[in-house]
Each structure stands twice: as structure tokens, then as C-alpha cells.
């Protein structure tokens, strides 16, 4: 059915399909054609132009399929044009095959050109929408690269496989994913032993790879159709398996509804789910879960202890015995993957790295911390006010005080200050913006917290914000001045990694710190209500106060730094002395003969 | 040349033993065992007041074969690390050994941080600890 049938495509190039591709494409075509009973047109309404007698693919189905390939619409248009369907007005087999090849080319990164399809390509990958049951089928390992993309879903796969392959395992608890997914280097321990022999069969021949997922897809792929029997059965089975694996009662988490590009990429829904789970263990999403809590939780997944230990090793990047939110997500994801039969990777995949996770999904995290911290720490009406002020305070303080010299009671603040200083550059810009965006009346929803990267330039109400800050800063310097060196030392004793992690806590503890400071609360809240003029009068006075405070703190810093270096020196000397003494002792001791 | 490392719990049972040419494993077990006496002696001799974090000693020169030099290291929690290196590699300086022990120690604490690791278990952290030790020993050889 290849090049010879170039009927619909006038200048179509000879299309060489490998056997695997041929099978794949014909299946797809059959499905698309069968789904709609032939005839309809893609593109302009030229229904009459359908070649009588020839099988054509339904435009709607084809469009769905193409969209499922996750290529941009632009590319899809190009492909449709190139393959000739636009020209002839329908998707005949040739056009369809060419289109599929072009899709594969586009997904491999090649330009959408006719020439691209002349070379050996992997199969196109399609991800069906949520309404359909989702199976990703990809090329088996033999075609391209060691890693194959295999359907990722836990229960869906089980459901389908169970339906279609009788010899597959029955229990959903240990889903069997094709071993094709396993990179050759994966540790043998983690190979899922109970692989049904159906899969082993698959492994041996590429062709068999295709029918299996296709068969699985058959009952499920209904163009824009509502759930068929299989997907309908999915949620309960899905839930059952999940509940079995985790005795924790979960939301109807559908971690299979959105297939990741690779198995190690966390999708949005998965992310949400992980975050919720995190919250169930630890209300503050910006804080971390201790090792024992995490251990109890993950043990419920019924993975073996060595595997869990390995997963922990992979995900606890800073080796501190606790999991932050990104670390937790990574660990959870690995556990889920493992339960799906994926062998564990040798190293933490780049998409699971904490930095990546934080960067990739900043918004939900932000919102979490935003709402959580605010809701937790805002008992009074002054909440938005307090928070704002606190944010300013902390930010401005950090900008001004390189070392968290100003000590606002809690060690957390210190750490956060250190961290946030590292994080932010144009802190001052953030401050006025906060003020302008948050009228006193608002409560609850605040603009993105200052913990975020600096926002664009400040607005007009810079005066007001400064005025607001000053009351607080007045307090802070005095506090700082009063604080003993011991207080300042305590932050140093904290493990250095913590500041980085707890960067989102500022609002939390910051507000808590401010709560007791009713003195600031008074003038500040009053100031917000009034026009800014009243407050401006104090600004210059307060500026001076701040500056003196700054100077004092800088001096304190310098003193401490010197002290530190001296002590270090002493320590070194003492150390050396000790070694010398030990040597002496060594010599004096009678020799012990074995 | 050969190198071996061992981690022993405070009760002197092995948590981790690894030799670089693995056929010497048994012999190394024996060496570690014999060195324990010396280690214990040193610990007790150290005195109660002194919570000594490091201990470095040129241990038992193994009499019969090519001299092997052993080093010992004791942590605050009485976990012992023992390393044996070939004396042929005399280029090894004191500081190198110390740094190796420090690395061992920090890797060990990383292992401890894993909540799934019960103190007293054999260290099976394939990825982190093991690879670190192997690379270290390769350096020495």
C-alpha cells in the first residue's frame, strides 16, 4: 500500500515503509477510516470529491490523531499540506502514511519536508486526549535508541492488557510494563521479574509490539467519544490498585490521564497530586518532610526496603534526611514509576532534579506557599498588611544586611534571609510593587510573594511603601542591636543547606514574627488607610535610623568575621598540637606485637 | 596495587567491606579483624575526656606478606573505618589518608541520613557509598 498507490498524491515521492511502520500505519489508518465510515473530507468541504470506493480516513479522527501527536498546530498544517491531503481534499492511505511519516519526522526534530521521510524514522508518537483512553505507542527499542516509550499508566495498561492479552498478569498491583522500557544499564535487581510472557514475546519481535497496544487501543479509541467500557472500568480499578498500594485514602488521582513525554517527567496532574500528598504529611509546602514521616508514607507503597532506600538516595539530593517538596515529588514519582514496572534509573533523571522541578512548576508551588503560609499565619484583619510589611521588611533587610544581623526572633528568618538574599537581586523593586498592589482591605489573595524573582519596576507608590517599611525597620534595627551575639551565632549553626530549601517560608514565620509587634501594626495599618503624605514625614527620620542600624550591623559583622577567623586559626593550631602529642604518645607506647 | 576499606559498627561487626582486587576479600576480613584489637586499644587509651574525632595510626605491618599498611579511623559514635593499602604505594601521605577517611565519613553520614537505613544494617547503598569507595580505592591503587 505504499508508493504504488500514489493515486491521491500526484507528485508523491516513493514512500518506503518498514514492515513495522507499515503495520503501524495500516492499523492507524484502519482505525481512522473505520471509525467514521469513510468518505469525509479534511479541509474544505468538498465532500463530493471523495474518491468512490477508496477508503479514506475520517477527517475528525485524523485531526484528533494528529493533535495527539502533540506537535504544534502550525506543524500539523504543514504536514497536512505536504502529504497531499489538502490538495486532494481527503486522507487517502497514501496521504495518511505520508502524514504519519512526517509526524514521526517532526517528532524526531527533523524539518517537515518531503525529504525527511525518506530516511529511517521512528514511529510517530501519539498521546490521546483525556477523554480517550490513553496509550502511547512508540517504536520498540530495536528501531531507535535503547529506550522505548511505553505506555505509562498503571491501571489503564493493566486494564487494557488484561482485556487483550489473557496471559498477562491479573493483579493490578504489580503492573507489568514492557521490558523494552528498561535501559540496558539498569541494575538487574530492579528488573521486574514477574513479566508476563506476552511481554517477553513482544520484546523479541517488533511487529508484535504494535498489535498489542493497538488492540488495546481499539476498544478505547473512540473519536471524541465518551468513555467506553474500558475507561469506565478504569477509575474503579485504578482506585483499587492505588488504594491497595497505598493504604492512604487518595483522591481519585488519575495519574495516567496525562502521559509524560518520558517516564521521568512529572505531569501537571501528577504534580498536583504529589503536592496534595505532601500537604497531608506536612501542611507547609515550603517546609520539608522528615525522614521518618516519609519512610512511613513510602513504606505503604509496598516496595521493598532496599528499593525504597535506593529511591531515597536518588531523590534526597542534599542528603539531609528530609524531603522538600521537589525532592518529595521526585521520590513519589520514582515510586510510582517503579510500581508501574519501570526499573529505577542509575541516577536522578534531569527532569526530576529539584532545581528542575522547582523551575518547571513554580506556579503551583508558589500558590501553595502563598495561600498556605498566608492562611496559616493570618489570624487578624491586619493580615495582608502584616504580610506585606513583613515581606518588605525581610526583603529590604536582606538587601541591606548581608548577614542576617537583624534578628527577628526566629532562626527561620535568619536562614530565609540568607537564602533570599542569594535569590534576589533587585529586591527594592519588589517592595513598592507589593504595596501598590495590595490595598489594606484585601485579605487572603496577595500578589506573588516577594520570595519570587524580582518583579518589574516599581510603581508610583514608592513613597508609601517606604513609609510602610520604615516603621518595621525601625523596630528591626533596634531589635538587631539588642540581640546578643549568641543569637547571631545560632543561624550559623544551622546546616547550610537549609536556607536554600526553606526559601518560601519567609511569609510564614515572617508574619508570625510580626504578629507580636503590635507597635508596628498600629502605625502601619493606620498609614495604609490614610494617604501617603502623613507617613512621608517620618520617612526621612526613619531613613537615618535605618542607616545607622545598617552601619552598626556591618560593624558587628566585621567583628564577628574577625573573631571567626581568629578562632579558626586557634583551632588549627590546637589541632596540630594534638597531632604532635599523639605522635609522641605513639612513640612512648610499648609496641604491641600481634 | 591493592586497597581495601571496611566500615565496622561500634560492636565491631562489619557494615561494609570492600577490597579492590576482590579475591583478597577473605584475607582482608581477617586483617580487619586483627586490626580491631589495636583499634580498640587505641580508643580506650585515648582517655575518656577526649572525644577524639580522628585517629590515625600506622597499623600492623603485616608480617608475612608484602607489607600492608593499615589505617584506622574512629568516629564519635565508635564506628570504625579501616583501610589497608599496599606499602608499595609509599607516596601516600598522611593528609591523603586523612582526606580519604573524611570522605568515607561523610559518605557514611549520607547513608545514615537515609531513613530506610537502619543503623547496624549492612551498607548496601550501591550508588553513593559504594561508588565513592570504589573510586577512592582506585585512586590509591
Amino acid at each position: 500500500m505504499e508508493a504504488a498507490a500514489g493515486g491521491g498524491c500526484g507528485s508523491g515521492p516513493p514512500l518506503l515503509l518498514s514492515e513495522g511502520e507499515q503495520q503501524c500505519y495500516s492499523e492507524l489508518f484502519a482505525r481512522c477510516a473505520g471509525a467514521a465510515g469513510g468518505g469525509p473530507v479534511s479541509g474544505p468541504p468538498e465532500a463530493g470529491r471523495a474518491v468512490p470506493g477508496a477508503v479514506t480516513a475520517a477527517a475528525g479522527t485524523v485531526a484528533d490523531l494528529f493533535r495527539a501527536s502533540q506537535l504544534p498546530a502550525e506543524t500539523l498544517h504543514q504536514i497536512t499540506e505536504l502529504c497531499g491531503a489538502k490538495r486532494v481534499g481527503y486522507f487517502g492511505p497514501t496521504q495518511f502514511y505520508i502524514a504519519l511519516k512526517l509526524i514521526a519526522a517532526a517528532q524526531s526534530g527533523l524539518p517537515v519536508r518531503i525529504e525527511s521521510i525518506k530516511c529511517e524514522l521512528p514511529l510517530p508518537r501519539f498521546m490521546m486526549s483525556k477523554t480517550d483512553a490513553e496509550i502511547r505507542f512508540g517504536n520498540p527499542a530495536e528501531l531507535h535508541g535503547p529506550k522505548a516509550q511505553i505506555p505509562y499508566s498503571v491501571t489503564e495498561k493493566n486494564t487494557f492488557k488484561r482485556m487483550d492479552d489473557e496471559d498477562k498478569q491479573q493483579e493490578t498491583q504489580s503492573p507489568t510494563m514492557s521490558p523494552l522500557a528498561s535501559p540496558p544499564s539498569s541494575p538487574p535487581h530492579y528488573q521486574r521479574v514477574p513479566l508476563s510472557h506476552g511481554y517477553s514475546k513482544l520484546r523479541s519481535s517488533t511487529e508484535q509490539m504494535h498489535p498489542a497496544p493497538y488492540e488495546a487501543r481499539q476498544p478505547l479509541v473512540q473519536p471524541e467519544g465518551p468513555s467506553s467500557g474500558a475507561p469506565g472500568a478504569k477509575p474503579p480499578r485504578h482506585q483499587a490498585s492505588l488504594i491497595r498500594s497505598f493504604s492512604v485514602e487518595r483522591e481519585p488521582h488519575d495519574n495516567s490521564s496525562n502521559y509524560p513525554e518520558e517516564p521521568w517527567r512529572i505531569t501537571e496532574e501528577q504534580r498536583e497530586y504529589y503536592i496534595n500528598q505532601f500537604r497531608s504529611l506536612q501542611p507547609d509546602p515550603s517546609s520539608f518532610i522528615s525522614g521518618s514521616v516519609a519512610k512511613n508514607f513510602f513504606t505503604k507503597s509496598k516496595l521493598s526496603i532496599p528499593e525504597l532506600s535506593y529511591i531515597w538516595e536518588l531523590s534526597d539530593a542534599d542528603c539531609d534526611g528530609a524531603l522538600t517538596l521537589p525532592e518529595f515529588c521526585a521520590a513519589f514519582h520514582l515510586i510510582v514509576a517503579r510500581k508501574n514496572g519501570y526499573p529505577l534509573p542509575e541516577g536522578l533523571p534531569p527532569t526530576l532534579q529539584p532545581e528542575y522541578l522547582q523551575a518547571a512548576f513554580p506556579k503551583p508551588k508558589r500558590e501553595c506557599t502563598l495561600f498556605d503560609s498566608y492562611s496559616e499565619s493570618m489570624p487578624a484583619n491586619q493580615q495582608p498588611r502584616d504580610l506585606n510589611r513583613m515581606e518588605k521588611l525581610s526583603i529590604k533587610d536582606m538587601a541591606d544586611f548581608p548577614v542576617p544581623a537583624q534578628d527577628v526572633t526566629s532562626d527561620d528568618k535568619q536562614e530565609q534571609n540568607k537564602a533570599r538574599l542569594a535569590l534576589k537581586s533587585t529586591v527594592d523593586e519588589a517592595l513598592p510593587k507589593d504595596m501598590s498592589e495590595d490595598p489594606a482591605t484585601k485579605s487572603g489573595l496577595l500578589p506573588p510573594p516577594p520570595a519570587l524573582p524580582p518583579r518589574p519596576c516599581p510603581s508610583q507608590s514608592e513613597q508609601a511603601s517606604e513609609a510602610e517599611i520604615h516603621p518595621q525597620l525601625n523596630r528591626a534595627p533596634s531589635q538587631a542591636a539588642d540581640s546578643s551575639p549568641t543569637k547571631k551565632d545560632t543561624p550559623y549553626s544551622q546546616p547550610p543547606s537549609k536556607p536554600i530549601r526553606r526559601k518560601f517560608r519567609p511569609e510564614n514565620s515572617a508574619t508570625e514574627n510580626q504578629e507580636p509587634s503590635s507597635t508596628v501594626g498600629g502605625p502601619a495599618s493606620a498609614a495604609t488607610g490614610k494617604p501617603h503624605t502623613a507617613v512621608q514625614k517620618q520617612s526621612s527620620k526613619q531613613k537615618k535610623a535605618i542607616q545607622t542600624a545598617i552601619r552598626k550591623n556591618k560593624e558587628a559583622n566585621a567583628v564577628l568575621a574577625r573573631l571567626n577567623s581568629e578562632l579558626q586559626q586557634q583551632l588549627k593550631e590546637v589541632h596540630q598540637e594534638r597531632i604532635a602529642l599523639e605522635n609522641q604518645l605513639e612513640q612512648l607506647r610499648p609496641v604491641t606485637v600481634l | 596495587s591493592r586497597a581495601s576499606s571496611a566500615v565496622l559498627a561500634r560492636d565491631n561487626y562489619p557494615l561494609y567491606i570492600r577490597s579492590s582486587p576482590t579475591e583478597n576479600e577473605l584475607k582482608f576480613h581477617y586483617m580487619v579483624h586483627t586490626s580491631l584489637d589495636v583499634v580498640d586499644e587505641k580508643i580506650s587509651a585515648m582517655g575518656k575526656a577526649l572525644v577524639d574525632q580522628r585517629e590515625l595510626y600506622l597499623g600492623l605491618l603485616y608480617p608475612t606478606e608484602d607489607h600492608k599498611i593499615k589505617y584506622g579511623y574512629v568516629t564519635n559514635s565508635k564506628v570504625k573505618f579501616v583501610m589497608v593499602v599496599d606499602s608499595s604505594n609509599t607516596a601516600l601521605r598522611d593528609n591523603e589518608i586523612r582526606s580519604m577517611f573524611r570522605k568515607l565519613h561523610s559518605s557514611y553520614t549520607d547513608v545514615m541520613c537515609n531513613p530506610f537505613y537502619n543503623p547496624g544494617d549492612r551498607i548496601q547503598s550501591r550508588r553513593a557509598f559504594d561508588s565513592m569507595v570504589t573510586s577512592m580505592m582506585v585512586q590509591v591503587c
Side-chain angles (χ1 to χ4, degrees):
Chain A
M1 263 237 253
E2 297 103 291
C9 183
S11 58
L15 190 59
L16 298 165
L17 297 178
S18 70
E19 212 177 317
E21 286 176 320
Q22 187 179 350
Q23 205 152 4
C24 171
Y25 292 175
S26 60
E27 286 274 357
L28 282 175
F29 186 72
R31 191 169 315 119
C32 286
V41 175
S42 83
E46 300 162 348
R49 289 195 50 194
V51 176
V55 183
T56 57
T61 331
V62 171
D64 277 344
L65 184 65
F66 285 4
R67 270 199 294 277
S69 68
Q70 295 208 324
L71 294 173
E74 169 82 33
T75 319
L76 292 176
H77 282 312
Q78 272 183 305
I79 291 178
T80 327
E81 276 188 45
L82 271 178
C83 76
K86 278 242 171 85
R87 210 173 334 123
V88 301
Y90 58 85
F91 267 105
T94 328
Q95 291 79 37
F96 191 70
Y97 289 177
I98 298 180
L100 287 178
K101 262 225 123 147
L102 285 169
I103 288 178
Q107 284 175 336
S108 311
L110 299 171
V112 179
R113 297 270 176 279
I114 294 294
E115 297 74 27
S116 312
I117 63 178
K118 293 201 176 131
C119 53
E120 185 76 24
L121 286 172
L123 290 178
R125 297 188 294 279
F126 297 99
M127 311 216 321
M128 303 307 287
S129 69
K130 284 190 206 171
T131 54
D132 300 42
E134 294 175 349
I135 288 207
R136 267 186 69 203
F137 54 98
N139 60 319
E142 284 81 338
L143 270 189
H144 268 265
K147 234 187 152 102
Q149 287 88 18
I150 303 293
Y152 181 63
S153 148
V154 182
T155 49
E156 273 182 293
K157 191 127 205 306
N158 286 339
T159 313
F160 311 147
K161 295 305 169 195
R162 197 177 317 139
M163 287 181 336
D164 302 316
D165 304 316
E166 308 71 14
D167 40 338
K168 295 284 195 281
Q169 285 188 8
Q170 290 306 307
E171 18 114 19
T172 56
Q173 173 131 11
S174 52
T176 58
M177 303 292 296
S178 165
L180 288 172
S182 56
S185 61
S186 65
H189 302 281
Y190 297 120
Q191 284 287 347
R192 274 281 171 177
V193 173
L195 288 167
S196 73
H197 75 262
Y199 274 101
S200 340
K201 247 191 323 180
L202 285 182
R203 197 195 325 203
S204 53
S205 66
T206 67
E207 280 118 338
Q208 291 183 4
M209 175 65 190
H210 305 311
Y214 295 175
E215 288 161 16
R217 273 186 61 166
Q218 289 280 2
L220 306 162
V221 174
Q222 324 247 336
E224 303 105 32
S227 55
S228 62
K234 169 176 62 127
R237 247 191 288 236
H238 171 86
Q239 282 222 331
S241 79
L242 284 184
I243 289 176
R244 229 178 297 155
S245 51
F246 284 80
S247 55
V248 182
E249 195 56 34
R250 288 180 174 188
E251 305 109 81
H253 161 60
D254 193 0
N255 77 344
S256 52
S257 59
N258 203 354
Y259 276 79
E261 275 297 325
E262 316 130 13
W264 307 121
R265 199 176 283 273
I266 301 185
T267 66
E268 191 65 39
E269 290 147 25
Q270 290 174 324
R271 172 101 187 175
E272 303 257 338
Y273 181 73
Y274 298 155
I275 292 179
N276 289 333
Q277 288 295 313
F278 184 95
R279 285 214 220 142
S280 73
L281 298 172
Q282 158 67 273
D284 181 1
S286 60
S287 177
F288 43 90
I289 298 184
S290 75
S292 44
V293 171
K295 173 179 178 178
N296 291 337
F297 180 72
F298 288 139
T299 316
K300 292 183 199 154
S301 72
K302 305 256 187 347
L303 286 179
S304 67
I305 296 290
E307 289 191 354
L308 287 171
S309 174
Y310 187 74
I311 288 177
W312 176 280
E313 239 185 274
L314 284 178
S315 52
D316 188 7
D318 43 11
C319 285
D320 58 355
L323 295 180
T324 62
L325 183 58
E327 290 175 342
F328 177 82
C329 291
F332 210 132
H333 199 76
L334 285 168
I335 289 181
V336 166
R338 183 76 197 114
K339 288 213 77 72
N340 288 352
Y342 276 99
L344 290 172
E346 280 292 315
L348 192 65
T351 53
L352 288 182
Q353 304 265 350
E355 305 84 19
Y356 176 89
L357 285 177
Q358 276 182 349
F361 297 94
K363 188 162 158 258
K365 190 167 196 274
R366 239 181 263 161
E367 284 168 358
C368 295
T369 56
L370 182 61
F371 289 110
D372 283 355
S373 58
Y374 292 163
S375 58
E376 281 169 33
S377 51
M378 287 203 285
N381 290 345
Q382 288 186 1
Q383 292 163 7
R385 229 354 95 204
D386 286 347
L387 267 165
N388 252 344
R389 271 181 290 111
M390 224 25 247
E391 292 159 19
K392 311 284 178 316
L393 169 63
S394 33
I395 299 169
K396 181 120 191 198
D397 289 339
M398 278 197 331
D400 294 336
F401 309 121
V403 173
Q406 95 280 6
D407 192 337
V408 200
T409 59
S410 80
D411 293 339
D412 287 351
K413 187 100 192 354
Q414 301 284 8
E415 295 159 12
Q416 298 142 24
N417 285 341
K418 271 191 253 177
R420 292 167 66 187
L421 182 64
L423 286 177
K424 289 189 290 252
S425 49
T426 62
V427 166
D428 286 335
E429 293 175 348
L431 304 173
K433 186 116 194 285
D434 260 346
M435 292 310 293
S436 61
E437 288 177 5
D438 187 23
T441 51
K442 215 190 277 184
S443 73
L445 181 54
L446 283 168
L452 300 180
R455 265 159 291 123
C457 226
S459 63
Q460 47 288 21
S461 54
E462 178 145 6
Q463 296 278 359
S465 56
E466 281 205 4
E468 291 279 340
I469 300 163
H470 294 156
Q472 320 154 26
L473 288 177
N474 241 346
R475 256 191 75 263
S478 55
Q479 243 184 342
D482 297 341
S483 64
S484 59
T486 53
K487 258 298 178 99
K488 288 177 188 158
D489 284 344
T490 40
Y492 298 126
S493 60
Q494 299 275 356
S497 61
K498 283 216 177 136
I500 316 296
R501 267 213 310 279
R502 298 164 82 181
K503 51 186 158 211
F504 289 111
R505 281 202 68 146
E507 295 85 7
N508 214 352
S509 44
T511 24
E512 289 161 5
N513 290 331
Q514 276 300 326
E515 298 293 342
S517 67
S518 49
T519 53
V520 197
S525 56
T528 52
K530 293 184 208 150
H532 309 310
T533 53
V535 188
Q536 283 171 14
K537 287 179 198 164
Q538 312 171 25
S539 53
S540 53
K541 255 191 289 175
Q542 284 155 355
K543 258 190 227 173
K544 287 211 190 101
I546 294 168
Q547 280 167 5
T548 44
I550 293 172
R551 250 179 283 125
K552 260 196 241 170
N553 284 315
K554 278 195 184 151
E555 287 166 30
N557 283 349
V559 167
L560 285 174
R562 249 177 310 171
L563 183 64
N564 189 22
S565 58
E566 281 177 28
L567 286 174
Q568 294 277 8
Q569 196 60 32
Q570 284 185 18
L571 180 64
K572 260 187 235 163
E573 288 168 8
V574 170
H575 221 58
Q576 283 167 0
E577 280 181 31
R578 210 193 87 211
I579 292 173
L581 285 173
E582 273 184 65
N583 285 336
Q584 282 185 7
L585 185 62
E586 190 64 49
Q587 287 153 13
L588 293 174
R589 174 179 305 182
V591 177
T592 45
V593 184
L594 258 191
Chain B
S1 74
R2 288 172 284 228
S4 317
S5 315
V7 179
L8 307 156
R10 68 183 300 143
D11 298 330
N12 291 339
Y13 57 86
L15 297 175
Y16 178 87
I17 297 192
R18 162 66 71 96
S19 293
S20 79
T22 45
E23 64 267 12
N24 283 350
E25 196 110 5
L26 190 59
K27 186 177 298 185
F28 180 56
H29 275 68
Y30 176 63
M31 277 196 276
V32 167
H33 194 71
T34 55
S35 66
L36 278 176
D37 287 337
V38 189
V39 173
D40 275 342
E41 193 193 331
K42 287 193 181 275
I43 296 176
S44 54
M46 210 74 75
K48 317 294 186 285
L50 202 55
V51 178
D52 200 341
Q53 214 238 354
R54 299 189 24 86
E55 155 199 308
L56 174 70
Y57 68 114
L58 287 180
L60 330 149
L61 260 61
Y62 202 77
T64 57
E65 294 183 35
D66 36 10
H67 307 290
K68 292 211 199 314
I69 310 208
K70 288 200 259 305
Y71 297 91
Y73 183 99
V74 175
T75 72
N76 289 335
S77 52
K78 299 285 181 287
V79 172
K80 306 169 187 69
F81 303 122
V82 176
M83 267 200 304
V84 175
V85 297
D86 254 347
S87 66
S88 55
N89 192 354
T90 48
L92 275 180
R93 289 279 152 265
D94 197 49
N95 285 326
E96 291 177 26
I97 302 290
R98 283 170 196 247
S99 72
M100 283 162 67
F101 273 128
R102 256 195 301 270
K103 271 199 272 181
L104 257 184
H105 195 174
S106 78
S107 297
Y108 176 71
T109 48
D110 286 346
V111 169
M112 291 300 266
C113 282
N114 190 330
F116 297 101
Y117 172 78
N118 298 318
D121 288 351
R122 295 210 60 133
I123 297 177
Q124 270 139 356
S125 146
R126 203 168 304 101
R127 213 178 126 259
F129 193 78
D130 205 40
S131 55
M132 191 277 308
V133 171
T134 326
S135 65
M136 216 170 57
M137 294 201 297
V138 163
Q139 265 179 348
V140 169
C141 289

